Every structure is written in structure tokens, then in C-alpha cells.
Amino acid sequence: MTTRTRPPVRSHPLFARFYTKVAGPALDKAGITEHRRRLLSGLTGEVIEIGAGNGLNFPHYPPEVTRVLAVEPEPRLRALAEQAAVTAPVPVEVTDGVAEQLPVEDASFDAAVVCLTLCSVADAHAALTETHRVLRAGGQLRFFEHVRADSPAMRRVQRALDATVWPLLMGGCHTGRDTRSAIAAAGFTITSMEKFAFPETRLPSPAATHILGTAERRHPEGTR
């Protein structure tokens, strides 16, 4: 792992409190638990979770996972994740770090998990390139993210929000990122993916379009 200057991290204490007290419980009520289970189902071996937040995924890791390294830069959320790790069904180590510069060696993990993370990182391409670096050849990326809408009208709304108030109010989140293309551009082959609205509501939401799926780190040229 090459030593580099860590990108600056802006703490979001107000958003961390909002997510813990309001947004997280609201997502639970809307049915996100089933999506978390599907995201993690079938994982084995050593896993890195990038942007682990306050550890809401931890209870859903299957027993075949031998270790989870949970990376979270926001101090308040990281402290809560450390508490959640104590009761997790698999060994979980929580550490400080940013997605654009993961504090681990090359080819260290069998799988990586990003869950509502790539919308809020400063540089999604750098984060996915780092994820690719730390996976072993053939390793899996599991992703569950809200993304750019299909409707041109909603895309215009997303662009306006992302350029103004949304990132400021929502901890750096962006509503309209083309995460599917970014995953492919970072060297992954998407092997399965579903796109759906979540939560399902009568009123349109700029953050409703989600993708859930699996991608594979491509083997080096000439190997299997």
C-alpha cells in the first residue's frame, strides 16, 4: 500500500444525529432490512465494508464471513458502529478511514460492501478504484445505492439539488450519481443488478431510485 496524504474529511455531526435518530429508523420502517439482508446474503471470508455508518448492516452478515473491517470517517457514526460491533454475529473491527484512501494493503479482502455510501463520498471514482485495489482477483463488490433517476425531469431536479442545498443538508450526499457506470469504469464486471424505487411512495423523491447488485473484480490480463 502506497503512503499518500489522506483527503480532508468534513465532520457532519448534525447529519450524523439526524441519520441516527430520524433517517435510519425511517428506513427501517420502510423495509430496508430486507434489502440489507439481500445485499449481504452468501458472503464468505474476509469483507471490508466502506462507509459503515453506525453499523446497521452488522446484524445481517452471514456466519460464513470470518472477518469484517468496517471503515467509517464520521466520528459520531464510527463510535456508534463500535458499539454495534460488540453484538454482531461475526467478528467486526471498526476503523477510521476514507473511501478514497482505504487503510489496508492490496488484495486483502474477498468482498467489499458499499451501502448508501457512494452518494456521499467526495470522489466516487477514486473510492471505487480503491475498492478494486483492496479486493483479491475475482473478489466481489456488493452495492446498494440510490442513483440517477430514469426520468429526464427528475434528473433535472437531481442536478439542481446536487448543485445547491442537498449535499449541505444531507452530509455530502448527491442524489443523481451514475453509480452503475462508475462501478464498471473502475474495473468491475457487474454480474447482477436490480433497479427499483425505495421507499415506495406516492410522491416522487429525488433519492428514490436504487440499485442493488454484485460486481466482480476482473482477473489480471492473462490469468483466471
Side-chain angles (χ1 to χ4, degrees):
M1 181 176 61
T2 304
T3 301
R4 292 165 291 171
T5 302
R6 170 172 161 155
V9 176
R10 181 180 176 185
S11 180
H12 298 280
L14 293 179
F15 175 75
R17 291 185 179 91
F18 168 76
Y19 185 81
T20 303
K21 300 295 185 181
V22 179
L27 291 173
D28 286 343
K29 187 176 181 180
I32 198 173
T33 297
E34 178 59 26
H35 297 314
R36 294 187 191 277
R37 289 173 179 157
R38 293 172 59 218
L39 174 70
L40 305 177
S41 176
L43 285 174
T44 61
E46 297 181 284
V47 179
I48 183 169
E49 182 174 341
I50 303 162
N54 55 340
L56 295 179
N57 282 329
F58 296 171
H60 308 298
Y61 276 98
E64 292 79 12
V65 170
T66 57
R67 173 196 177 212
V68 176
L69 180 66
V71 181
E72 174 54 50
E74 212 292 319
R76 181 179 177 86
L77 293 176
R78 187 170 64 250
L80 293 170
E82 289 170 349
Q83 296 175 24
V86 175
T87 57
V90 300
V92 177
E93 174 190 352
V94 179
T95 189
D96 185 15
V98 294
E100 298 90 341
Q101 188 177 325
L102 297 171
V104 297
E105 300 294 328
D106 296 356
S108 299
F109 291 90
D110 301 300
V113 172
V114 288
C115 180
L116 307 179
T117 295
L118 295 174
C119 59
S120 60
V121 297
D123 186 334
H125 178 73
L128 285 163
T129 300
E130 272 289 272
T131 304
H132 189 275
R133 176 184 70 80
V134 305
L135 284 177
R136 297 174 180 128
Q140 284 192 342
L141 169 65
R142 300 290 186 93
F143 54 90
F144 174 48
E145 299 285 340
H146 69 79
V147 297
R148 188 172 67 182
D150 293 325
S151 160
M154 183 56 75
R155 287 187 184 184
R156 288 193 292 270
V157 172
Q158 288 177 324
R159 286 194 294 269
L161 289 173
D162 290 350
T164 53
V165 298
W166 194 274
L168 294 174
L169 296 175
M170 304 302 289
C173 173
H174 294 74
T175 63
R177 286 184 169 169
D178 185 3
T179 300
R180 183 190 184 282
S181 296
I183 290 170
F188 290 97
T189 299
I190 294 176
T191 53
S192 67
M193 193 190 80
E194 300 175 42
K195 181 185 284 188
F196 51 90
F198 175 81
E200 293 185 9
T201 62
R202 293 181 180 180
L203 296 176
S205 165
T209 304
H210 285 69
I211 56 173
L212 188 154
T214 302
E216 183 176 306
R217 185 193 191 278
R218 297 172 191 156
H219 290 267
E221 195 68 29
T223 67
R224 296 186 60 85

